[in-house]
Amino acid sequence: VQLQASGGGLVQAGGSLRLSCAASENIFSMYALGWYRQAPGKQRDLVATITNGRTTNYADSVKGRFTISRDSANNTMYLQMNSLKPEDTAVYYCTATVDLPRKGKYLYWGQGTLVTVSS
C-alpha cells in the first residue's frame, strides 16, 4: 500500500487546513486509517484514527478542532484542522492498518506533509 499525503502549508493561528492522503489500493476494507504528527525534536504522536466501521478516535490536544474522515470511493482520507495553534506545527503522516492473511495487522506509512502555524 502506498500513501501520498498533501495539503500542508503555512497558516496563521486560528486558521484552517485540510490534509489529504491518497491510497494506492482500495481503503474500504482496511482495518483503520490514521494521522500521526512529529514536531521538531519530539516523538511521533497519534493525532486521529478512523476504523472501517467509521469509529473515530482523537488525541486530547486536537479534540473538537480536528476531524478525520474517509472517502472509500476515491481511496482518500482527510484531516480537517480548524482553530490551528502554533503547537500544531509538525510534519503530519498518514497511515493505513491492513489485516494481512496469516500475518496479522500491518501499519503502512505515507510520506509526511509539513504544517506550520504562525502566531
Side-chain angles (χ1 to χ4, degrees), residues 73-111:
N74 291 303
N75 294 327
T76 302
M77 66 172 171
Y78 303 97
L79 184 68
Q80 177 66 43
M81 306 185 295
N82 299 328
S83 301
L84 282 162
K85 304 175 181 180
E87 51 263 44
D88 294 319
T89 295
V91 177
Y92 285 71
Y93 299 88
C94 55
T95 64
T97 302
V98 178
D99 209 348
L100 300 175
R102 299 184 300 278
K103 293 184 178 181
K105 295 180 177 60
Y106 186 85
L107 182 64
Y108 291 89
W109 291 86
Q111 97 293 354

Side-chain angles (χ1 to χ4, degrees), residues 7-19 66 81-86 88-89 92 114-119:
L10 175 63
V11 63
Q12 287 189 331
S16 298
L17 278 177
R18 188 177 80 156
L19 305 183
F66 290 11
M81 306 185 295
N82 299 328
S83 301
L84 282 162
K85 304 175 181 180
D88 294 319
T89 295
Y92 285 71
L114 177 62
V115 173
T116 304
V117 184
S118 63
S119 57

